[in-house]
Amino acid sequence: MQRKNNAKHDLDEETGLHQASDSTTETRAGGTAQQTDNNDVLKAISSLHAELAHLKSDICNKIEAAISEVKYTLRGEIATLRTESDTALLALKSRMSAQNQSLKELTDVANDTSDTIQVLEDKVKGLSWQVEALSEKCLNLEGCSKRQNLRVAGIKGGEGRWPKAKRVYCPVVKRSVKSRRCTRYRLSSNAYEVIMQKMLSIRDLMYGGQQIWIFRDLPPEVARCQAAFTPARKILCDKTGVKFGLLYP
């Protein structure tokens, strides 16, 4: 019995040794396979890393080349723009200088013209005053020279002989009335006063069946001034007992 037990024990030990050997062999095989997989992964990672590094380098090179090209292009464009700007600025400065010169010349001419105009205005004012004074003197002289003159309107031409007479035609008063022949007479002072006093008392003076008018021979300017009072004189003519008249000179 003891031998059987020993034999069985030996058999179990041998079997255990075989199993242990098989287990070790399997473990070794599994470890080798795992190590192989790890090596493949590492190789793949290393290869990917190399590809990424190469791609990165390629991208950086392309970016640098593009940046260099852009810089070169921008430098050329900036240089061209700077040249064009300088040319335009020079032309603008030249034009502004010419305009400033023209403006200065125009300003000088305007100042000279203004001074000349001021001098002329002063002269015109002085001459206007002199002309006005001379006109008043001439009008006064003309009026004084005609103080003894009378104008007779309504007499036909060739009526009698009058000494020192000058005959002229009066302007048309109305379109429906024909031009009346007016005659100017220079009288003595006494005769003039007598005729004027008679005319104040006689309103309707008839001669040869026609009405005539006798009035003072006044300068045209004075006559126009007196004509402005015609409406007032017409009103006063209708007033009984009212005496009126215009004194000149």
Side-chain angles (χ1 to χ4, degrees):
M1 288 292 293
Q2 188 175 359
R3 289 180 178 178
K4 290 181 179 180
N5 291 331
N6 292 330
K8 185 177 181 180
H9 180 71
D10 294 335
L11 180 61
D12 290 336
E13 287 181 356
E14 186 178 358
T15 302
L17 290 173
H18 285 293
Q19 289 179 352
S21 177
D22 293 337
S23 176
T24 302
T25 302
E26 290 178 358
T27 302
R28 289 179 179 176
T32 302
Q34 185 176 2
Q35 186 176 1
T36 302
D37 293 338
N38 291 334
N39 291 332
D40 293 338
V41 171
L42 291 174
K43 288 181 179 180
I45 291 172
S46 177
S47 177
L48 181 61
H49 180 72
E51 291 180 359
L52 290 174
H54 179 72
L55 181 61
K56 178 181 178 181
S57 176
D58 189 15
I59 291 173
C60 290
N61 292 331
K62 289 182 178 179
I63 290 173
E64 290 178 357
I67 291 174
S68 298
E69 184 178 359
V70 170
K71 286 182 178 179
Y72 180 78
T73 304
L74 289 176
R75 286 177 182 175
E77 292 180 354
I78 290 171
T80 303
L81 182 61
R82 183 176 296 173
T83 303
E84 293 177 354
S85 299
D86 293 339
T87 304
L89 287 174
L90 288 175
L92 183 60
K93 287 180 180 179
S94 178
R95 185 176 299 177
M96 289 181 64
S97 177
Q99 290 181 353
N100 290 333
Q101 182 65 27
S102 300
L103 183 61
K104 183 178 181 301
E105 293 176 357
L106 291 175
T107 303
D108 295 338
V109 172
N111 292 331
D112 295 339
T113 304
S114 178
D115 296 339
T116 304
I117 290 175
Q118 185 64 39
V119 173
L120 291 176
E121 286 181 353
D122 295 338
K123 289 183 178 179
V124 168
K125 289 180 180 178
L127 292 175
S128 298
W129 180 83
Q130 293 180 6
V131 169
E132 184 178 357
L134 292 174
S135 298
E136 292 180 357
K137 288 182 180 180
C138 289
L139 182 60
N140 185 31
L141 291 174
E142 184 180 3
C144 291
S145 65
K146 293 182 178 181
R147 292 184 65 178
Q148 308 302 324
N149 290 3
L150 290 177
R151 300 182 68 185
V152 180
I155 298 178
K156 294 181 180 181
E159 293 288 342
R161 294 181 179 179
W162 296 79
K164 299 181 182 179
K166 182 180 180 182
R167 299 183 180 184
V168 296
Y169 285 98
C170 293
V172 178
V173 179
K174 295 182 180 178
R175 292 184 179 181
S176 59
V177 180
K178 294 183 179 180
S179 299
R180 300 189 302 270
R181 183 177 294 276
C182 297
T183 308
R184 298 179 183 177
Y185 303 98
R186 181 178 297 275
L187 304 174
S188 63
S189 178
N190 294 332
Y192 175 83
E193 295 295 336
V194 171
I195 293 174
M196 292 304 296
Q197 290 179 1
K198 293 290 185 181
M199 287 301 301
L200 293 176
S201 60
I202 301 174
R203 290 193 175 183
D204 297 330
L205 182 62
M206 305 298 294
Y207 178 77
Q210 293 183 353
Q211 185 175 2
I212 63 174
W213 296 268
I214 299 176
F215 46 88
R216 296 181 60 184
D217 186 15
L218 299 174
E221 292 81 359
V222 178
R224 283 194 294 268
C225 293
Q226 290 189 355
F229 293 92
T230 300
R233 286 187 292 179
K234 288 182 178 180
I235 295 173
L236 295 175
C237 285
D238 297 333
K239 303 295 181 180
T240 305
V242 175
K243 295 181 180 181
F244 64 93
L246 296 174
L247 301 178
Y248 179 80

